[in-house]
Amino acid sequence: MTLGDFITPKPEHVDPFMHEVGVMKQLILERTHQLELLRELISNSGAVEVRSKNIWITYFVHPQYGHVFEVRDDGCGMNFTNSSEFPGRLDRFLGLGLSAVAGLDADEFAWKGIGSKLSYHSRRVEVETFNGNKAYQTVVNEPWKTIETKQKPRPVVTEIPAPWGAMTGTKVIVFGHPPYRKAPFKFEEIYDYLVHRTFVGFTRLRENPPKVFLNVQGREESLDFGFPEIRTKPDEPPEGTVIVDPPIQISKNLPGTNRSIQLRLNGFYTWDERNYNLADVHYNTGMILSVKGIPYFTLDMRELGSGQLAVANPGPSKCCLIVECDSIQSEMNISRSSLVDSEMSEHFKRLVGEAIKQVEDSDRHRAFRLVPKKRKDKEGASGLLKRKQALERSEQGWVYYQSKDMDKPIRLLRQPENETDTLAILWKLEALNALPFSNFETLSYSGTGADLVVHFQEDESSNPERFTTMEVEYRFFNYKQHGHLITQFPTVICWDINPKPKLSVGQTAKPFKYIVQLKETTLRIYALSRMPNIFVATEEDMKRNKANEAWGSNL
Protein backbone atom coordinates (compact mmCIF):
# COMPACT_ATOMS: atom_id res chain seq x y z
CA MET A 1 0.00 0.00 0.00
CA THR A 2 1.34 3.44 -0.97
CA LEU A 3 0.34 6.93 0.00
CA GLY A 4 -1.62 7.24 -3.23
CA ASP A 5 -3.96 4.50 -2.09
CA PHE A 6 -5.44 6.91 0.48
CA ILE A 7 -6.41 9.60 -2.09
CA THR A 8 -10.09 9.63 -3.11
CA PRO A 9 -11.55 11.40 -6.19
CA LYS A 10 -14.21 13.18 -4.15
CA PRO A 11 -14.64 14.11 -0.46
CA GLU A 12 -16.07 11.36 1.73
CA HIS A 13 -16.88 11.09 5.38
CA VAL A 14 -14.56 8.53 7.00
CA ASP A 15 -15.48 6.80 10.23
CA PRO A 16 -12.22 6.53 12.19
CA PHE A 17 -13.86 4.00 14.55
CA MET A 18 -15.10 1.60 11.91
CA HIS A 19 -12.71 -0.99 13.35
CA GLU A 20 -13.56 -0.16 16.96
CA VAL A 21 -13.84 -3.85 17.93
CA GLY A 22 -10.24 -4.42 16.87
CA VAL A 23 -9.16 -1.30 18.75
CA MET A 24 -11.05 -2.46 21.81
CA LYS A 25 -9.38 -5.86 21.69
CA GLN A 26 -5.95 -4.25 21.50
CA LEU A 27 -6.75 -1.99 24.47
CA ILE A 28 -7.74 -5.01 26.53
CA LEU A 29 -4.59 -6.93 25.60
CA GLU A 30 -2.41 -3.99 26.68
CA ARG A 31 -3.19 -4.95 30.27
CA THR A 32 0.06 -5.84 32.04
CA HIS A 33 -1.31 -7.20 35.32
CA GLN A 34 -4.14 -9.66 35.86
CA LEU A 35 -5.71 -7.51 38.59
CA GLU A 36 -5.91 -4.25 36.64
CA LEU A 37 -9.64 -4.87 36.27
CA LEU A 38 -10.00 -4.36 40.02
CA ARG A 39 -7.96 -1.17 39.88
CA GLU A 40 -10.28 0.34 37.29
CA LEU A 41 -13.57 -0.83 38.80
CA ILE A 42 -12.56 0.47 42.22
CA SER A 43 -11.52 3.80 40.67
CA ASN A 44 -15.04 4.08 39.27
CA SER A 45 -16.55 3.44 42.69
CA GLY A 46 -14.13 5.71 44.54
CA ALA A 47 -14.50 8.85 42.42
CA VAL A 48 -15.80 11.88 44.32
CA GLU A 49 -18.70 12.19 41.89
CA VAL A 50 -19.97 8.73 42.92
CA ARG A 51 -20.04 9.65 46.64
CA SER A 52 -19.55 6.09 47.90
CA LYS A 53 -19.32 5.56 51.63
CA ASN A 54 -18.54 1.86 51.31
CA ILE A 55 -16.89 -0.33 48.68
CA TRP A 56 -17.12 -4.11 48.84
CA ILE A 57 -14.67 -6.23 46.82
CA THR A 58 -15.33 -9.95 46.47
CA TYR A 59 -13.45 -12.73 44.73
CA PHE A 60 -14.40 -16.38 44.42
CA VAL A 61 -14.07 -19.28 42.00
CA HIS A 62 -17.24 -20.23 40.11
CA PRO A 63 -17.62 -23.92 39.14
CA GLN A 64 -18.57 -22.97 35.57
CA TYR A 65 -16.91 -19.65 34.85
CA GLY A 66 -13.79 -19.77 37.02
CA HIS A 67 -12.56 -16.51 38.55
CA VAL A 68 -15.27 -14.07 39.61
CA PHE A 69 -14.63 -10.48 40.70
CA GLU A 70 -17.37 -8.35 42.19
CA VAL A 71 -17.10 -4.65 43.09
CA ARG A 72 -20.09 -3.09 44.82
CA ASP A 73 -20.58 0.44 46.16
CA ASP A 74 -23.30 2.50 47.80
CA GLY A 75 -22.68 5.56 45.62
CA CYS A 76 -24.99 7.53 43.38
CA GLY A 77 -25.71 4.71 40.95
CA MET A 78 -25.83 4.95 37.14
CA ASN A 79 -28.35 6.45 34.77
CA PHE A 80 -29.08 5.01 31.32
CA THR A 81 -30.10 7.06 28.26
CA ASN A 82 -29.35 4.69 25.37
CA SER A 83 -28.16 7.79 23.54
CA SER A 84 -24.80 8.30 21.84
CA GLU A 85 -25.23 12.08 22.03
CA PHE A 86 -26.06 12.24 25.74
CA PRO A 87 -24.76 8.98 27.19
CA GLY A 88 -25.46 8.20 30.82
CA ARG A 89 -23.06 6.58 33.21
CA LEU A 90 -24.21 3.09 32.30
CA ASP A 91 -23.99 3.90 28.57
CA ARG A 92 -20.39 5.00 28.97
CA PHE A 93 -19.51 1.95 31.04
CA LEU A 94 -20.85 -0.42 28.42
CA GLY A 95 -19.64 1.44 25.35
CA LEU A 96 -16.45 1.25 23.34
CA GLY A 97 -15.49 4.88 23.73
CA LEU A 98 -12.51 6.20 25.65
CA SER A 99 -14.35 8.35 28.18
CA ALA A 100 -12.69 11.77 28.63
CA VAL A 101 -10.10 11.16 25.94
CA ALA A 102 -13.02 10.99 23.49
CA GLY A 103 -14.40 14.30 24.70
CA LEU A 104 -17.02 12.96 27.12
CA ASP A 105 -17.54 14.22 30.64
CA ALA A 106 -15.78 11.92 33.03
CA ASP A 107 -15.48 11.23 36.73
CA GLU A 108 -12.40 11.94 38.81
CA PHE A 109 -10.30 8.97 37.65
CA ALA A 110 -12.10 7.84 34.47
CA TRP A 111 -9.84 9.26 31.79
CA LYS A 112 -9.57 6.39 29.32
CA GLY A 113 -12.46 4.14 30.28
CA ILE A 114 -10.32 1.03 30.41
CA GLY A 115 -12.21 -0.47 33.35
CA SER A 116 -15.33 -1.36 31.44
CA LYS A 117 -13.23 -2.65 28.55
CA LEU A 118 -11.25 -4.98 30.82
CA SER A 119 -14.51 -6.39 32.17
CA TYR A 120 -15.21 -7.63 28.64
CA HIS A 121 -12.14 -9.90 28.84
CA SER A 122 -14.39 -12.47 30.46
CA ARG A 123 -17.16 -15.03 30.07
CA ARG A 124 -19.97 -12.90 31.47
CA VAL A 125 -20.59 -9.42 32.90
CA GLU A 126 -23.48 -8.45 35.15
CA VAL A 127 -24.27 -4.92 36.30
CA GLU A 128 -26.95 -3.92 38.77
CA THR A 129 -27.40 -0.24 39.56
CA PHE A 130 -29.95 2.01 41.27
CA ASN A 131 -29.65 5.79 41.03
CA GLY A 132 -32.52 6.66 43.37
CA ASN A 133 -34.93 7.02 40.49
CA LYS A 134 -34.52 3.98 38.27
CA ALA A 135 -32.86 0.60 38.61
CA TYR A 136 -31.21 -1.32 35.78
CA GLN A 137 -29.86 -4.80 35.30
CA THR A 138 -27.36 -5.52 32.55
CA VAL A 139 -26.04 -8.84 31.27
CA VAL A 140 -23.31 -9.37 28.68
CA ASN A 141 -22.80 -13.00 27.71
CA GLU A 142 -19.45 -14.26 26.37
CA PRO A 143 -18.08 -10.76 25.61
CA TRP A 144 -14.52 -11.93 24.97
CA LYS A 145 -15.54 -14.73 22.64
CA THR A 146 -17.68 -12.21 20.77
CA ILE A 147 -14.79 -9.75 20.41
CA GLU A 148 -12.48 -12.49 19.17
CA THR A 149 -14.93 -13.16 16.34
CA LYS A 150 -14.68 -9.43 15.46
CA GLN A 151 -18.17 -8.64 16.64
CA LYS A 152 -19.40 -6.13 19.18
CA PRO A 153 -20.62 -7.51 22.52
CA ARG A 154 -24.36 -6.93 22.90
CA PRO A 155 -25.28 -5.88 26.45
CA VAL A 156 -28.89 -6.52 27.40
CA VAL A 157 -30.11 -3.68 29.63
CA THR A 158 -33.37 -4.14 31.49
CA GLU A 159 -35.13 -1.62 33.70
CA ILE A 160 -36.15 -3.40 36.87
CA PRO A 161 -38.21 -2.29 39.83
CA ALA A 162 -36.09 -0.99 42.67
CA PRO A 163 -36.49 -3.02 45.82
CA TRP A 164 -38.39 -1.19 48.53
CA GLY A 165 -36.01 0.73 50.78
CA ALA A 166 -33.05 0.01 48.49
CA MET A 167 -29.96 2.22 48.78
CA THR A 168 -28.42 3.72 45.69
CA GLY A 169 -25.30 2.09 44.34
CA THR A 170 -23.79 -0.16 41.71
CA LYS A 171 -22.63 -3.76 41.62
CA VAL A 172 -20.41 -5.07 38.83
CA ILE A 173 -19.74 -8.79 38.61
CA VAL A 174 -17.22 -10.13 36.10
CA PHE A 175 -17.22 -13.91 35.54
CA GLY A 176 -14.19 -15.70 34.12
CA HIS A 177 -11.57 -12.94 34.18
CA PRO A 178 -8.94 -13.50 33.07
CA PRO A 179 -10.31 -16.35 30.96
CA TYR A 180 -7.02 -18.26 30.66
CA ARG A 181 -5.76 -18.34 34.26
CA LYS A 182 -6.19 -21.63 36.11
CA ALA A 183 -4.82 -21.15 39.64
CA PRO A 184 -7.05 -19.23 42.07
CA PHE A 185 -5.89 -15.88 43.40
CA LYS A 186 -4.72 -15.82 47.01
CA PHE A 187 -5.92 -13.32 49.59
CA GLU A 188 -2.43 -11.87 50.05
CA GLU A 189 -1.99 -11.52 46.30
CA ILE A 190 -5.15 -9.45 45.90
CA TYR A 191 -4.55 -7.51 49.11
CA ASP A 192 -1.04 -6.42 48.12
CA TYR A 193 -2.24 -5.24 44.74
CA LEU A 194 -5.23 -3.34 46.16
CA VAL A 195 -3.28 -1.39 48.77
CA HIS A 196 -0.31 -0.58 46.51
CA ARG A 197 -1.78 -0.21 43.00
CA THR A 198 -5.37 1.00 43.35
CA PHE A 199 -7.55 3.73 44.86
CA VAL A 200 -7.46 1.74 48.12
CA GLY A 201 -3.78 2.71 48.45
CA PHE A 202 -4.45 6.44 47.97
CA THR A 203 -1.19 8.35 48.45
CA ARG A 204 -2.69 11.64 49.67
CA LEU A 205 -4.99 12.84 52.39
CA ARG A 206 -8.62 12.43 51.36
CA GLU A 207 -11.65 13.79 53.12
CA ASN A 208 -14.24 11.19 54.09
CA PRO A 209 -12.70 8.23 52.25
CA PRO A 210 -14.98 5.23 51.80
CA LYS A 211 -14.65 2.14 53.92
CA VAL A 212 -13.30 -0.78 51.91
CA PHE A 213 -14.02 -4.45 52.53
CA LEU A 214 -12.29 -7.40 50.87
CA ASN A 215 -13.65 -10.94 50.70
CA VAL A 216 -11.50 -13.60 49.07
CA GLN A 217 -12.97 -17.09 48.98
CA GLY A 218 -14.85 -16.42 52.23
CA ARG A 219 -12.01 -14.70 54.11
CA GLU A 220 -13.21 -11.17 54.79
CA GLU A 221 -11.28 -8.18 56.15
CA SER A 222 -11.77 -4.43 56.23
CA LEU A 223 -8.88 -2.58 54.58
CA ASP A 224 -7.30 0.55 55.98
CA PHE A 225 -7.51 3.33 53.42
CA GLY A 226 -4.28 4.81 52.10
CA PHE A 227 -0.86 3.58 50.99
CA PRO A 228 0.22 1.51 54.02
CA GLU A 229 3.91 2.37 54.13
CA ILE A 230 3.24 6.10 53.78
CA ARG A 231 0.35 6.06 56.23
CA THR A 232 2.34 4.24 58.94
CA LYS A 233 5.82 5.70 58.49
CA PRO A 234 7.32 6.92 61.78
CA ASP A 235 7.34 10.62 62.65
CA GLU A 236 10.93 10.36 63.82
CA PRO A 237 12.91 7.97 61.62
CA PRO A 238 15.27 5.61 63.43
CA GLU A 239 18.91 5.34 62.43
CA GLY A 240 19.15 3.68 59.05
CA THR A 241 15.96 5.22 57.65
CA VAL A 242 15.51 8.52 55.81
CA ILE A 243 12.05 10.05 55.42
CA VAL A 244 11.74 12.61 52.63
CA ASP A 245 10.08 15.20 54.83
CA PRO A 246 9.21 17.85 53.94
CA PRO A 247 8.41 16.43 50.50
CA ILE A 248 10.40 17.75 47.56
CA GLN A 249 8.19 19.82 45.24
CA ILE A 250 9.15 20.97 41.76
CA SER A 251 7.08 22.93 39.21
CA LYS A 252 8.37 23.88 35.75
CA ASN A 253 6.86 24.58 32.37
CA LEU A 254 7.73 22.50 29.35
CA PRO A 255 10.31 24.74 27.58
CA GLY A 256 8.70 27.01 25.00
CA THR A 257 5.15 26.33 26.22
CA ASN A 258 2.81 27.21 29.03
CA ARG A 259 2.30 23.52 29.86
CA SER A 260 3.41 23.01 33.43
CA ILE A 261 4.40 19.95 35.40
CA GLN A 262 4.11 19.97 39.15
CA LEU A 263 5.47 16.99 41.02
CA ARG A 264 5.91 16.00 44.63
CA LEU A 265 8.38 13.41 45.93
CA ASN A 266 7.88 11.84 49.34
CA GLY A 267 8.29 8.51 51.07
CA PHE A 268 11.37 6.96 52.64
CA TYR A 269 14.34 4.66 52.12
CA THR A 270 16.07 2.43 54.61
CA TRP A 271 18.73 -0.15 55.35
CA ASP A 272 16.12 -2.09 57.35
CA GLU A 273 13.56 -3.01 54.69
CA ARG A 274 12.24 -5.96 56.72
CA ASN A 275 11.09 -3.58 59.45
CA TYR A 276 8.74 -1.99 56.92
CA ASN A 277 7.79 -5.20 55.06
CA LEU A 278 9.34 -3.87 51.86
CA ALA A 279 9.59 -6.44 49.07
CA ASP A 280 9.10 -6.34 45.32
CA VAL A 281 6.34 -8.94 45.59
CA HIS A 282 4.29 -6.45 47.65
CA TYR A 283 4.53 -3.68 44.99
CA ASN A 284 5.87 -1.27 47.63
CA THR A 285 9.50 -0.82 46.53
CA GLY A 286 11.37 1.55 44.26
CA MET A 287 9.89 4.81 43.02
CA ILE A 288 6.15 4.63 42.33
CA LEU A 289 4.24 7.06 40.13
CA SER A 290 0.98 8.27 41.65
CA VAL A 291 -1.52 10.20 39.54
CA LYS A 292 -4.47 11.88 41.26
CA GLY A 293 -3.57 9.87 44.35
CA ILE A 294 -3.62 6.43 42.73
CA PRO A 295 -0.28 4.55 42.63
CA TYR A 296 0.05 3.05 39.16
CA PHE A 297 3.51 1.68 38.40
CA THR A 298 7.19 1.75 39.30
CA LEU A 299 9.60 4.10 37.56
CA ASP A 300 13.13 3.11 36.59
CA MET A 301 15.27 5.06 39.04
CA ARG A 302 18.49 4.49 37.11
CA GLU A 303 16.87 5.80 33.94
CA LEU A 304 15.87 8.89 35.93
CA GLY A 305 19.51 9.54 36.81
CA SER A 306 19.85 8.06 40.28
CA GLY A 307 23.48 7.13 40.89
CA GLN A 308 23.11 6.13 44.53
CA LEU A 309 19.56 5.22 45.58
CA ALA A 310 19.11 3.01 42.52
CA VAL A 311 22.45 1.23 42.76
CA ALA A 312 23.47 0.15 46.25
CA ASN A 313 22.81 3.09 48.54
CA PRO A 314 20.49 1.45 49.43
CA GLY A 315 19.06 0.05 46.13
CA PRO A 316 15.45 0.11 44.84
CA SER A 317 14.33 -2.82 47.00
CA LYS A 318 15.00 -0.72 50.11
CA CYS A 319 13.20 2.37 48.81
CA CYS A 320 9.53 3.28 49.14
CA LEU A 321 9.34 6.59 47.30
CA ILE A 322 6.21 8.13 45.78
CA VAL A 323 6.24 10.63 42.91
CA GLU A 324 2.88 12.40 42.72
CA CYS A 325 2.17 14.16 39.44
CA ASP A 326 -1.33 14.74 38.05
CA SER A 327 -0.14 16.62 34.98
CA ILE A 328 1.55 13.49 33.57
CA GLN A 329 -1.77 11.63 33.31
CA SER A 330 -2.14 12.36 29.60
CA GLU A 331 1.28 10.76 29.00
CA MET A 332 0.36 7.36 30.42
CA ASN A 333 -0.39 4.57 28.01
CA ILE A 334 -3.87 3.08 27.70
CA SER A 335 -3.25 0.40 30.33
CA ARG A 336 -1.66 2.95 32.69
CA SER A 337 1.39 0.70 33.07
CA SER A 338 4.07 3.08 31.74
CA LEU A 339 4.67 6.46 30.15
CA VAL A 340 4.44 7.02 26.43
CA ASP A 341 7.44 8.37 24.54
CA SER A 342 6.76 12.11 24.36
CA GLU A 343 8.33 15.49 24.99
CA MET A 344 6.23 15.89 28.11
CA SER A 345 7.36 12.50 29.44
CA GLU A 346 11.00 13.45 28.96
CA HIS A 347 10.40 16.75 30.73
CA PHE A 348 8.76 14.89 33.62
CA LYS A 349 11.72 12.50 33.88
CA ARG A 350 14.16 15.41 33.99
CA LEU A 351 12.23 16.96 36.88
CA VAL A 352 12.12 13.68 38.78
CA GLY A 353 15.87 13.43 38.23
CA GLU A 354 16.25 16.89 39.83
CA ALA A 355 14.22 15.72 42.83
CA ILE A 356 16.36 12.60 43.19
CA LYS A 357 19.51 14.73 43.03
CA GLN A 358 18.20 16.88 45.89
CA VAL A 359 17.75 13.74 47.96
CA GLU A 360 21.15 12.25 47.13
CA ASP A 361 23.03 15.53 47.67
CA SER A 362 21.56 16.13 51.13
CA ASP A 363 23.49 15.91 54.40
CA ARG A 364 21.06 13.34 55.75
CA HIS A 365 21.72 11.06 52.79
CA ARG A 366 25.48 11.35 53.29
CA ALA A 367 24.97 10.39 56.95
CA PHE A 368 22.71 7.54 55.84
CA ARG A 369 25.46 6.08 53.65
CA LEU A 370 27.75 5.79 56.68
CA VAL A 371 25.26 3.75 58.72
CA PRO A 372 26.36 0.27 57.47
CA LYS A 373 29.98 0.97 58.48
CA LYS A 374 28.90 2.28 61.88
CA ARG A 375 26.76 -0.82 62.38
CA LYS A 376 29.58 -3.08 61.27
CA ASP A 377 31.91 -1.43 63.77
CA LYS A 378 29.33 -1.81 66.53
CA GLU A 379 28.70 -5.43 65.58
CA GLY A 380 32.44 -6.05 65.59
CA ALA A 381 32.77 -4.64 69.09
CA SER A 382 29.70 -6.57 70.22
CA GLY A 383 31.09 -9.75 68.67
CA LEU A 384 34.38 -9.30 70.48
CA LEU A 385 32.57 -8.77 73.76
CA LYS A 386 30.52 -11.95 73.25
CA ARG A 387 33.66 -13.91 72.43
CA LYS A 388 35.36 -12.64 75.56
CA GLN A 389 32.33 -13.37 77.71
CA ALA A 390 32.14 -16.89 76.27
CA LEU A 391 35.78 -17.53 77.14
CA GLU A 392 35.18 -16.26 80.66
CA ARG A 393 32.35 -18.71 81.32
CA SER A 394 33.10 -21.21 84.08
CA GLU A 395 31.98 -24.06 81.83
CA GLN A 396 34.34 -23.11 79.00
CA GLY A 397 36.54 -26.08 78.15
CA TRP A 398 40.24 -25.62 77.44
CA VAL A 399 42.70 -27.90 75.69
CA TYR A 400 45.84 -28.64 77.70
CA TYR A 401 49.09 -30.44 76.92
CA GLN A 402 51.24 -31.93 79.67
CA SER A 403 54.00 -34.49 79.20
CA LYS A 404 55.38 -36.57 82.05
CA ASP A 405 58.45 -34.40 82.48
CA MET A 406 56.43 -31.15 82.81
CA ASP A 407 55.57 -29.64 86.19
CA LYS A 408 52.33 -28.06 84.97
CA PRO A 409 50.22 -28.28 81.82
CA ILE A 410 50.31 -25.81 78.94
CA ARG A 411 47.00 -24.31 77.93
CA LEU A 412 46.80 -24.47 74.13
CA LEU A 413 43.38 -23.09 73.14
CA ARG A 414 39.69 -23.26 73.92
CA GLN A 415 38.03 -26.58 73.15
CA PRO A 416 37.68 -26.52 69.34
CA GLU A 417 34.41 -25.47 67.73
CA ASN A 418 35.54 -25.39 64.10
CA GLU A 419 38.28 -26.30 61.67
CA THR A 420 40.27 -23.13 62.41
CA ASP A 421 40.50 -24.04 66.11
CA THR A 422 41.68 -27.52 65.10
CA LEU A 423 44.45 -26.06 62.94
CA ALA A 424 45.58 -23.76 65.75
CA ILE A 425 45.95 -26.68 68.16
CA LEU A 426 47.75 -28.75 65.52
CA TRP A 427 50.30 -26.03 64.90
CA LYS A 428 50.86 -25.39 68.62
CA LEU A 429 51.53 -29.08 69.15
CA GLU A 430 53.86 -29.04 66.15
CA ALA A 431 55.77 -26.08 67.62
CA LEU A 432 56.04 -27.89 70.96
CA ASN A 433 57.27 -31.02 69.15
CA ALA A 434 54.40 -32.73 70.96
CA LEU A 435 52.77 -34.58 68.07
CA PRO A 436 53.12 -38.39 68.40
CA PHE A 437 54.84 -38.70 65.03
CA SER A 438 58.46 -39.23 64.07
CA ASN A 439 58.20 -36.20 61.82
CA PHE A 440 55.54 -33.58 61.10
CA GLU A 441 56.56 -30.37 59.36
CA THR A 442 53.96 -28.01 57.90
CA LEU A 443 55.17 -26.57 54.59
CA SER A 444 52.08 -24.72 53.38
CA TYR A 445 48.42 -24.10 54.13
CA SER A 446 45.60 -23.19 51.73
CA GLY A 447 41.91 -22.54 52.25
CA THR A 448 41.16 -24.24 48.94
CA GLY A 449 42.28 -27.62 47.64
CA ALA A 450 44.70 -29.37 49.99
CA ASP A 451 44.59 -27.80 53.44
CA LEU A 452 48.16 -28.80 54.27
CA VAL A 453 51.30 -29.86 52.46
CA VAL A 454 53.69 -31.49 54.98
CA HIS A 455 56.72 -33.69 55.45
CA PHE A 456 55.37 -36.62 57.45
CA GLN A 457 56.52 -39.87 59.03
CA GLU A 458 54.13 -41.64 61.40
CA ASP A 459 56.81 -43.60 63.29
CA GLU A 460 60.38 -44.76 62.80
CA SER A 461 59.33 -47.87 60.87
CA SER A 462 57.00 -45.95 58.51
CA ASN A 463 57.77 -44.64 55.07
CA PRO A 464 58.92 -40.99 55.15
CA GLU A 465 56.40 -39.01 53.11
CA ARG A 466 57.65 -35.80 51.56
CA PHE A 467 55.32 -33.05 50.30
CA THR A 468 52.27 -35.10 51.14
CA THR A 469 48.78 -33.54 51.28
CA MET A 470 46.47 -33.64 54.28
CA GLU A 471 42.92 -32.49 54.95
CA VAL A 472 41.96 -30.84 58.27
CA GLU A 473 38.45 -31.11 59.75
CA TYR A 474 36.79 -30.23 63.02
CA ARG A 475 34.93 -33.53 63.37
CA PHE A 476 35.30 -36.32 60.86
CA PHE A 477 31.91 -37.29 59.44
CA ASN A 478 31.81 -37.90 55.70
CA TYR A 479 34.92 -37.21 53.70
CA LYS A 480 33.22 -37.37 50.32
CA GLN A 481 30.84 -34.62 51.35
CA HIS A 482 33.62 -32.09 50.85
CA GLY A 483 33.93 -33.00 47.19
CA HIS A 484 37.56 -34.06 47.47
CA LEU A 485 39.16 -36.82 45.43
CA ILE A 486 40.27 -39.17 48.20
CA THR A 487 43.32 -40.45 46.34
CA GLN A 488 44.69 -36.88 46.39
CA PHE A 489 43.98 -36.38 50.12
CA PRO A 490 44.44 -39.80 51.78
CA THR A 491 45.08 -38.39 55.26
CA VAL A 492 42.80 -36.43 57.60
CA ILE A 493 43.66 -34.65 60.82
CA CYS A 494 40.66 -33.75 62.96
CA TRP A 495 39.84 -32.77 66.50
CA ASP A 496 37.61 -35.79 67.02
CA ILE A 497 35.47 -38.39 65.24
CA ASN A 498 31.80 -37.54 64.89
CA PRO A 499 29.73 -39.78 67.24
CA LYS A 500 27.82 -41.11 64.23
CA PRO A 501 30.11 -40.88 61.19
CA LYS A 502 28.57 -41.63 57.83
CA LEU A 503 31.52 -43.83 56.85
CA SER A 504 32.57 -46.97 58.70
CA VAL A 505 35.50 -45.81 60.82
CA GLY A 506 37.81 -48.45 62.26
CA GLN A 507 39.97 -48.10 65.38
CA THR A 508 43.67 -49.08 65.20
CA ALA A 509 46.12 -50.05 67.92
CA LYS A 510 47.00 -46.40 68.34
CA PRO A 511 44.15 -44.64 70.21
CA PHE A 512 44.44 -41.53 68.06
CA LYS A 513 44.54 -43.30 64.67
CA TYR A 514 41.54 -44.51 62.67
CA ILE A 515 41.15 -45.90 59.18
CA VAL A 516 38.39 -46.10 56.60
CA GLN A 517 38.72 -48.85 54.01
CA LEU A 518 37.64 -47.66 50.57
CA LYS A 519 37.81 -49.36 47.19
CA GLU A 520 40.49 -47.08 45.80
CA THR A 521 42.55 -46.44 48.94
CA THR A 522 42.80 -46.55 52.72
CA LEU A 523 41.93 -43.28 54.42
CA ARG A 524 43.99 -42.45 57.54
CA ILE A 525 42.45 -40.28 60.26
CA TYR A 526 44.35 -38.79 63.20
CA ALA A 527 42.28 -37.32 66.08
CA LEU A 528 44.06 -34.67 68.13
CA SER A 529 41.77 -35.13 71.13
CA ARG A 530 42.85 -38.79 71.45
CA MET A 531 46.60 -38.06 71.32
CA PRO A 532 48.77 -38.70 74.41
CA ASN A 533 49.21 -35.91 76.93
CA ILE A 534 46.17 -34.00 75.59
CA PHE A 535 43.18 -33.37 77.84
CA VAL A 536 40.25 -30.93 78.11
CA ALA A 537 39.33 -29.22 81.37
CA THR A 538 37.57 -26.11 82.63
CA GLU A 539 39.29 -23.64 84.91
CA GLU A 540 37.20 -24.99 87.77
CA ASP A 541 38.46 -28.49 86.97
CA MET A 542 42.05 -27.26 87.05
CA LYS A 543 41.54 -25.47 90.39
CA ARG A 544 39.94 -28.59 91.83
CA ASN A 545 42.79 -30.81 90.62
CA LYS A 546 45.36 -28.43 92.06
CA ALA A 547 43.59 -28.43 95.41
CA ASN A 548 43.41 -32.24 95.39
CA GLU A 549 47.13 -32.46 94.64
CA ALA A 550 47.93 -30.07 97.46
CA TRP A 551 45.73 -32.05 99.84
CA GLY A 552 47.35 -35.31 98.76
CA SER A 553 50.87 -33.97 99.35
CA ASN A 554 49.97 -33.11 102.95
CA LEU A 555 48.98 -36.66 103.82
Side-chain angles (χ1 to χ4, degrees), residues 209-435:
K211 295 179 180 179
V212 182
F213 304 90
L214 173 63
N215 187 314
V216 176
Q217 302 271 54
R219 175 182 172 183
E220 185 170 3
E221 291 187 15
S222 61
L223 306 185
D224 292 325
F225 187 80
F227 200 91
E229 290 72 25
I230 300 300
R231 174 170 43 82
T232 60
K233 68 179 185 293
D235 295 330
E236 292 295 329
E239 182 188 64
T241 297
V242 172
I243 296 177
V244 184
D245 187 27
I248 295 172
Q249 303 191 59
I250 298 178
S251 177
K252 288 185 180 180
N253 285 355
L254 181 66
T257 74
N258 60 358
R259 296 179 64 190
S260 176
I261 282 187
Q262 299 89 32
L263 63 83
R264 182 174 183 266
L265 174 62
N266 67 347
F268 65 95
Y269 53 95
T270 181
W271 293 114
D272 307 308
E273 70 279 9
R274 292 185 179 179
N275 293 348
Y276 304 94
N277 200 32
L278 296 186
D280 295 346
V281 69
H282 299 317
Y283 311 105
N284 59 2
T285 59
M287 182 171 285
I288 301 163
L289 174 62
S290 171
V291 177
K292 294 188 175 181
I294 296 179
Y296 282 104
F297 55 85
T298 303
L299 298 165
D300 187 332
M301 296 171 65
R302 297 191 74 167
E303 181 188 356
L304 296 170
S306 172
Q308 297 180 37
L309 293 174
V311 181
N313 293 298
S317 62
K318 300 178 189 291
C319 296
C320 183
L321 298 168
I322 308 292
V323 176
E324 296 182 311
C325 182
D326 295 352
S327 45
I328 201 65
Q329 176 178 262
S330 60
E331 309 307 310
M332 288 195 293
N333 62 10
I334 294 292
S335 66
R336 304 203 232 201
S337 60
S338 64
L339 298 176
V340 299
D341 183 17
S342 69
E343 189 177 15
M344 196 69 166
S345 295
E346 293 303 310
H347 182 52
F348 165 77
K349 292 175 183 178
R350 285 193 294 271
L351 297 189
V352 177
E354 290 183 20
I356 292 174
K357 191 172 188 304
Q358 288 187 37
V359 173
E360 295 182 342
D361 287 348
S362 65
D363 290 338
R364 62 185 176 185
H365 181 69
R366 282 187 281 272
F368 171 83
R369 293 182 61 183
L370 298 176
V371 169
K373 184 179 184 306
K374 290 172 61 178
R375 288 182 174 179
K376 187 176 181 180
D377 292 343
K378 289 180 181 178
E379 289 175 1
S382 176
L384 286 174
L385 178 61
K386 289 180 180 178
R387 287 177 63 187
K388 292 177 181 179
Q389 290 173 338
L391 294 175
E392 291 172 352
R393 290 181 297 121
S394 60
E395 62 269 24
Q396 174 65 57
W398 298 91
V399 179
Y400 290 90
Y401 170 74
Q402 184 177 21
S403 63
K404 295 179 180 180
D405 58 347
M406 294 174 63
D407 294 333
K408 61 180 182 177
I410 299 174
R411 185 163 68 176
L412 301 179
L413 199 76
R414 68 173 183 180
Q415 188 172 1
E417 297 179 359
N418 50 54
E419 183 179 307
T420 303
D421 290 345
T422 304
L423 277 165
I425 291 174
L426 171 67
W427 285 329
K428 282 195 171 185
L429 290 173
E430 179 184 354
L432 291 169
N433 197 28
L435 290 169

